[in-house]
Amino acid sequence: MTRKPKATSIDIAHRAGVSQATVSRVLRGSPLVNAQTRKRVEDVARELNYKVDRHASSLRTQRSGTLALLLFEDPTPDDSHINPFFLSMLGSITRACSRQGQDLLVSFQQLSDDWHADYEDSMKADGLILLGYGDYVLYRDKLDDMVERGTHFVRWGAVLPDQPGISIGCDNYQGGRLVAEHLIDGGRRRIAFLGDASSHYPEFLERYRGCNDALAATGGSIDPALQVDAETSEEAGHAAACELLRRGAPFDAVFAASDLIAIGAMRALGEQGLRIPEDVAVVGFDDIPTARFARPSLTTIAQDTTRAGQLLVETLMQLVRDEPATGTILPVSLVVRRSSDPA
Amino acid sequence: MTRKPKATSIDIAHRAGVSQATVSRVLRGSPLVNAQTRKRVEDVARELNYKVDRHASSLRTQRSGTLALLLFEDPTPDDSHINPFFLSMLGSITRACSRQGQDLLVSFQQLSDDWHADYEDSMKADGLILLGYGDYVLYRDKLDDMVERGTHFVRWGAVLPDQPGISIGCDNYQGGRLVAEHLIDGGRRRIAFLGDASSHYPEFLERYRGCNDALAATGGSIDPALQVDAETSEEAGHAAACELLRRGAPFDAVFAASDLIAIGAMRALGEQGLRIPEDVAVVGFDDIPTARFARPSLTTIAQDTTRAGQLLVETLMQLVRDEPATGTILPVSLVVRRSSDPA
DNA sequence: CTGAAAGCGCTTACAG
DNA sequence: CTGAAAGCGCTTACAG
């Protein structure tokens, strides 16, 4: 149970009969080392299980080789209920990092934390990936602050003009359009929107706008009485649908700003004896795994999380290397399932 | 966009009119600093946004203040489909780490990787948390190896005698018993088990044994014709249920070794026109979020992931501090839903 | 192609 | 209670 003392580059140097500097060169892959010398050092290093000390190396180079993923969440009562969509992003970000030879630090953050200080000032990470539905207005100041301090960061979210820093996101507007066009095809005209549709939640607002614009092409629009705020949770979706029903305005379709909201809404609608999709079509957004298994299975907008994760990491690395980088809007696709079948 | 040069402890020392050593003492919370001096240093540090350089500190103390979470997965075709149960564990581990002031490195691992070398030898992490359903026989060698090298690690999984290192897990055996007793109460006797029930998957084996022992109390047992291997995925569950049906042996209940398997199995049973729970009761294990929303909603065994995450982190920290530590078995509870209702 | 040497920014015995 | 100094283990100009 006692740990063997760790080998250092000096140990390797002694055994290989070279200087410590040469050991370092070999391990960094420097081209100016004789092939034979290189082999000798590599053999000894392997034999002694030698690994470069990350802290010594980072202290010297001023690079940590680590990125930090900051998950920003609406406060949730239960620790373990994370929006599954972010978890899928987490998976692809994790893999993208390992392909890029970067380590990944993961953390849940509050708006009150000082991300720059916590990660870049302390050299824990070379850059930050920001993920989460939060109130954009509240954290926009934070973003400005980070830009001013030169923090390297990329953000998953709405990609709009005049945003601080670099954002990568899906085509929320187009997603909204696709949903509305699909519902219109199915003969629906009175579309309710569950989710905040203000500048506080730009992603949701874009989804709302896309939907509304498609409706406008038919001469309609979203009745304000059919829009109810909801944060992204099953409970909030349930509550929002109840509120919608309470208002009494007629509707034949529900477009929920996220799948979690949609699933909660379906439960509420079912409790009131409404049949889905016969009486009300329901569509979500995100295509979380649960959407397939919901009752009825949920029509939704799928985002390419694999590509998204790659892009976030690659773009952030460009920033870290001081290369030019830009935001990206990723295409979305409509996944039609039972909840919106034209019956 | 240019980053301001980072402040160092020397900068703080100059401004505060003390030595660099004193700055370090203040920031480490050393008790032997005069209160006035302390205040002066703290003020300056705050003003300059000073944060201790993690690498310099770790290099000196030989402690990284970081834990690594290694997720070990069955190889999956799709990057983004991680078992939701692990994601819930990830959430609670992340929070437990931040409560303990530890950073968390997250990574997906292959059996072929050398975890010790990658994390402890390079000083990236002080200890490892191992999570994942893998073939236990294959990675048991690895565990032995880590114990021998003095790696600090805890493992989520079956807690059994003579295992290398420290394991924390839920009471799989009791979970199996609870499932069987519930099914027996509902009048079921021909219980099929979907999942590997060998020493390669000790957690599943325990679940199987618990179920079988409860059945034994009624004079029965699990018919070998009713056990079909399956890894933890919806697809594998579907395939296993198809195989079960193909065999033709009668059964009135399915106990799936995980919820993912159960959900796939329910789909297969439904495709064959079997009604759940009228014709066949189905029970899973894990209580992933999808279980609630499945059609019908899935009876399952819930594990306390919040407590599990805390225990994993706390136990690992004991190991890191060379304090005595032991494994733990966490209680489980049965969550009865529609899929097993005695109709 | 290789070595000797400086220095990254801390922490902590040691001396006072 | 405070400071001067050594040293953690690397990387990389500099000199040869």
Side-chain angles (χ1 to χ4, degrees), chain A residues 4 20 33-34 42 66 102 154 157 160 213 227 239 262 274 286 294-295 304 313 323 326 341:
Chain A
K4 295 182 189 151
Q20 183 269 333
V33 183
N34 174 349
E42 281 169 348
T66 303
Q102 299 290 308
V154 292
L160 300 168
D213 286 1
Q227 187 275 321
L274 290 167
D286 287 343
R295 162 197 199 133
D304 185 346
V313 172
E323 296 168 10
T326 59
D341 249 12

mmCIF file of all heavy atoms in Angstrom, chain A residues 4 20 33-34 42 66 102 154 157 160 213 227 239 262 274 286 294-295 304 313 323 326 341:
data_model
loop_
_atom_site.group_PDB
_atom_site.id
_atom_site.type_symbol
_atom_site.label_atom_id
_atom_site.label_comp_id
_atom_site.label_asym_id
_atom_site.label_seq_id
_atom_site.Cartn_x
_atom_site.Cartn_y
_atom_site.Cartn_z
ATOM 1 N N LYS A 4 5.376 3.621 -4.339
ATOM 2 C CA LYS A 4 6.770 3.723 -4.735
ATOM 3 C C LYS A 4 7.071 5.174 -5.041
ATOM 4 O O LYS A 4 6.243 5.877 -5.619
ATOM 5 C CB LYS A 4 7.008 2.882 -5.991
ATOM 6 C CG LYS A 4 6.819 1.405 -5.744
ATOM 7 C CD LYS A 4 7.112 0.607 -7.003
ATOM 8 C CE LYS A 4 6.692 -0.849 -6.807
ATOM 9 N NZ LYS A 4 6.293 -1.513 -8.019
ATOM 10 N N GLN A 20 19.578 15.510 -17.899
ATOM 11 C CA GLN A 20 18.149 15.639 -17.631
ATOM 12 C C GLN A 20 17.481 16.411 -18.759
ATOM 13 O O GLN A 20 16.334 16.132 -19.133
ATOM 14 C CB GLN A 20 17.972 16.329 -16.273
ATOM 15 C CG GLN A 20 16.547 16.488 -15.812
ATOM 16 C CD GLN A 20 15.966 17.808 -16.275
ATOM 17 O OE1 GLN A 20 16.688 18.777 -16.485
ATOM 18 N NE2 GLN A 20 14.665 17.826 -16.467
ATOM 19 N N VAL A 33 16.995 15.366 -31.211
ATOM 20 C CA VAL A 33 17.636 14.322 -30.413
ATOM 21 C C VAL A 33 17.997 13.169 -31.344
ATOM 22 O O VAL A 33 17.198 12.762 -32.185
ATOM 23 C CB VAL A 33 16.698 13.795 -29.308
ATOM 24 C CG1 VAL A 33 17.419 12.776 -28.445
ATOM 25 C CG2 VAL A 33 16.177 14.925 -28.453
ATOM 26 N N ASN A 34 19.180 12.695 -31.195
ATOM 27 C CA ASN A 34 19.682 11.541 -31.924
ATOM 28 C C ASN A 34 18.739 10.346 -31.697
ATOM 29 O O ASN A 34 18.297 10.098 -30.581
ATOM 30 C CB ASN A 34 21.086 11.259 -31.380
ATOM 31 C CG ASN A 34 21.683 9.989 -31.937
ATOM 32 O OD1 ASN A 34 20.980 9.190 -32.579
ATOM 33 N ND2 ASN A 34 22.955 9.796 -31.708
ATOM 34 N N GLU A 42 13.645 6.502 -24.052
ATOM 35 C CA GLU A 42 12.272 5.992 -24.061
ATOM 36 C C GLU A 42 12.177 4.649 -23.360
ATOM 37 O O GLU A 42 11.226 4.383 -22.614
ATOM 38 C CB GLU A 42 11.759 5.869 -25.506
ATOM 39 C CG GLU A 42 11.315 7.206 -26.075
ATOM 40 C CD GLU A 42 11.071 7.149 -27.584
ATOM 41 O OE1 GLU A 42 11.460 6.143 -28.219
ATOM 42 O OE2 GLU A 42 10.509 8.131 -28.113
ATOM 43 N N THR A 66 -5.343 21.704 -19.981
ATOM 44 C CA THR A 66 -6.632 21.340 -19.401
ATOM 45 C C THR A 66 -7.683 22.367 -19.793
ATOM 46 O O THR A 66 -7.409 23.561 -19.817
ATOM 47 C CB THR A 66 -6.511 21.302 -17.857
ATOM 48 O OG1 THR A 66 -5.484 20.388 -17.499
ATOM 49 C CG2 THR A 66 -7.816 20.892 -17.204
ATOM 50 N N GLN A 102 -6.325 17.024 -24.407
ATOM 51 C CA GLN A 102 -6.589 17.942 -23.296
ATOM 52 C C GLN A 102 -7.311 17.204 -22.184
ATOM 53 O O GLN A 102 -8.145 16.342 -22.440
ATOM 54 C CB GLN A 102 -7.489 19.100 -23.770
ATOM 55 C CG GLN A 102 -6.885 19.937 -24.866
ATOM 56 C CD GLN A 102 -5.724 20.765 -24.364
ATOM 57 O OE1 GLN A 102 -5.851 21.475 -23.375
ATOM 58 N NE2 GLN A 102 -4.573 20.668 -25.026
ATOM 59 N N VAL A 154 -15.620 29.608 -24.786
ATOM 60 C CA VAL A 154 -16.671 29.445 -25.785
ATOM 61 C C VAL A 154 -17.933 29.087 -25.031
ATOM 62 O O VAL A 154 -17.892 28.538 -23.938
ATOM 63 C CB VAL A 154 -16.376 28.331 -26.816
ATOM 64 C CG1 VAL A 154 -15.217 28.694 -27.701
ATOM 65 C CG2 VAL A 154 -16.129 26.996 -26.118
ATOM 66 N N GLY A 157 -24.968 28.138 -26.952
ATOM 67 C CA GLY A 157 -26.193 28.905 -26.783
ATOM 68 C C GLY A 157 -26.592 29.583 -28.078
ATOM 69 O O GLY A 157 -26.120 29.217 -29.156
ATOM 70 N N LEU A 160 -25.951 35.048 -31.860
ATOM 71 C CA LEU A 160 -26.583 36.276 -32.316
ATOM 72 C C LEU A 160 -25.533 37.362 -32.473
ATOM 73 O O LEU A 160 -24.443 37.255 -31.927
ATOM 74 C CB LEU A 160 -27.626 36.722 -31.279
ATOM 75 C CG LEU A 160 -28.762 35.719 -31.024
ATOM 76 C CD1 LEU A 160 -29.552 36.120 -29.802
ATOM 77 C CD2 LEU A 160 -29.660 35.637 -32.256
ATOM 78 N N ASP A 213 -42.881 32.971 -37.175
ATOM 79 C CA ASP A 213 -42.708 33.391 -38.569
ATOM 80 C C ASP A 213 -43.327 32.386 -39.535
ATOM 81 O O ASP A 213 -43.922 32.759 -40.549
ATOM 82 C CB ASP A 213 -41.217 33.584 -38.895
ATOM 83 C CG ASP A 213 -40.665 34.865 -38.261
ATOM 84 O OD1 ASP A 213 -41.425 35.567 -37.563
ATOM 85 O OD2 ASP A 213 -39.472 35.161 -38.458
ATOM 86 N N GLN A 227 -48.875 31.517 -24.784
ATOM 87 C CA GLN A 227 -47.462 31.418 -24.420
ATOM 88 C C GLN A 227 -47.369 31.434 -22.903
ATOM 89 O O GLN A 227 -47.907 32.330 -22.238
ATOM 90 C CB GLN A 227 -46.660 32.587 -25.029
ATOM 91 C CG GLN A 227 -45.154 32.479 -24.832
ATOM 92 C CD GLN A 227 -44.682 33.038 -23.498
ATOM 93 O OE1 GLN A 227 -45.181 34.058 -23.047
ATOM 94 N NE2 GLN A 227 -43.749 32.342 -22.857
ATOM 95 N N ALA A 239 -46.521 22.293 -14.860
ATOM 96 C CA ALA A 239 -47.165 23.504 -14.331
ATOM 97 C C ALA A 239 -47.579 24.444 -15.467
ATOM 98 O O ALA A 239 -48.668 25.027 -15.444
ATOM 99 C CB ALA A 239 -46.218 24.217 -13.373
ATOM 100 N N ALA A 262 -41.812 19.467 -22.566
ATOM 101 C CA ALA A 262 -42.822 18.748 -23.343
ATOM 102 C C ALA A 262 -43.340 17.526 -22.592
ATOM 103 O O ALA A 262 -44.535 17.239 -22.570
ATOM 104 C CB ALA A 262 -42.233 18.322 -24.693
ATOM 105 N N LEU A 274 -57.022 14.880 -22.258
ATOM 106 C CA LEU A 274 -56.769 15.223 -23.661
ATOM 107 C C LEU A 274 -55.950 14.119 -24.305
ATOM 108 O O LEU A 274 -55.016 13.590 -23.697
ATOM 109 C CB LEU A 274 -56.034 16.558 -23.745
ATOM 110 C CG LEU A 274 -56.898 17.773 -23.359
ATOM 111 C CD1 LEU A 274 -56.036 19.014 -23.162
ATOM 112 C CD2 LEU A 274 -57.937 18.027 -24.457
ATOM 113 N N ASP A 286 -34.636 19.118 -28.469
ATOM 114 C CA ASP A 286 -33.388 18.544 -27.910
ATOM 115 C C ASP A 286 -33.179 17.087 -28.294
ATOM 116 O O ASP A 286 -32.047 16.647 -28.425
ATOM 117 C CB ASP A 286 -33.300 18.610 -26.368
ATOM 118 C CG ASP A 286 -33.049 20.014 -25.834
ATOM 119 O OD1 ASP A 286 -32.626 20.876 -26.622
ATOM 120 O OD2 ASP A 286 -33.305 20.249 -24.636
ATOM 121 N N ALA A 294 -41.046 8.186 -24.388
ATOM 122 C CA ALA A 294 -42.179 8.839 -23.756
ATOM 123 C C ALA A 294 -43.471 8.237 -24.292
ATOM 124 O O ALA A 294 -43.473 7.534 -25.305
ATOM 125 C CB ALA A 294 -42.134 10.335 -24.016
ATOM 126 N N ARG A 295 -44.544 8.532 -23.622
ATOM 127 C CA ARG A 295 -45.845 7.998 -24.023
ATOM 128 C C ARG A 295 -46.772 9.143 -24.358
ATOM 129 O O ARG A 295 -47.166 9.863 -23.462
ATOM 130 C CB ARG A 295 -46.410 7.197 -22.846
ATOM 131 C CG ARG A 295 -47.886 6.956 -22.967
ATOM 132 C CD ARG A 295 -48.488 6.544 -21.671
ATOM 133 N NE ARG A 295 -49.770 5.906 -21.999
ATOM 134 C CZ ARG A 295 -50.182 4.749 -21.503
ATOM 135 N NH1 ARG A 295 -49.459 4.129 -20.632
ATOM 136 N NH2 ARG A 295 -51.337 4.242 -21.849
ATOM 137 N N ASP A 304 -27.051 18.031 -33.293
ATOM 138 C CA ASP A 304 -25.924 17.121 -33.442
ATOM 139 C C ASP A 304 -24.944 17.364 -32.301
ATOM 140 O O ASP A 304 -24.012 18.150 -32.420
ATOM 141 C CB ASP A 304 -25.267 17.356 -34.801
ATOM 142 C CG ASP A 304 -24.156 16.355 -35.067
ATOM 143 O OD1 ASP A 304 -23.723 15.659 -34.128
ATOM 144 O OD2 ASP A 304 -23.716 16.282 -36.226
ATOM 145 N N VAL A 313 -14.783 22.305 -28.459
ATOM 146 C CA VAL A 313 -13.408 22.054 -28.041
ATOM 147 C C VAL A 313 -12.415 22.613 -29.063
ATOM 148 O O VAL A 313 -11.447 23.286 -28.702
ATOM 149 C CB VAL A 313 -13.173 20.549 -27.818
ATOM 150 C CG1 VAL A 313 -11.703 20.251 -27.575
ATOM 151 C CG2 VAL A 313 -14.018 20.053 -26.648
ATOM 152 N N GLU A 323 -5.272 31.767 -32.142
ATOM 153 C CA GLU A 323 -5.614 31.743 -33.555
ATOM 154 C C GLU A 323 -6.991 32.374 -33.726
ATOM 155 O O GLU A 323 -7.795 32.388 -32.788
ATOM 156 C CB GLU A 323 -5.656 30.297 -34.058
ATOM 157 C CG GLU A 323 -4.317 29.590 -33.985
ATOM 158 C CD GLU A 323 -4.448 28.085 -34.198
ATOM 159 O OE1 GLU A 323 -5.542 27.625 -34.590
ATOM 160 O OE2 GLU A 323 -3.460 27.375 -33.932
ATOM 161 N N THR A 326 -14.199 31.673 -34.891
ATOM 162 C CA THR A 326 -15.526 32.270 -35.042
ATOM 163 C C THR A 326 -16.597 31.346 -34.466
ATOM 164 O O THR A 326 -16.353 30.168 -34.260
ATOM 165 C CB THR A 326 -15.874 32.474 -36.532
ATOM 166 O OG1 THR A 326 -15.833 31.199 -37.174
ATOM 167 C CG2 THR A 326 -14.899 33.406 -37.204
ATOM 168 N N ASP A 341 -48.248 12.946 -34.803
ATOM 169 C CA ASP A 341 -48.738 12.295 -36.014
ATOM 170 C C ASP A 341 -50.102 12.865 -36.383
ATOM 171 O O ASP A 341 -50.960 13.030 -35.528
ATOM 172 C CB ASP A 341 -48.895 10.787 -35.763
ATOM 173 C CG ASP A 341 -47.886 9.997 -36.550
ATOM 174 O OD1 ASP A 341 -46.943 10.634 -37.077
ATOM 175 O OD2 ASP A 341 -48.025 8.774 -36.627
#
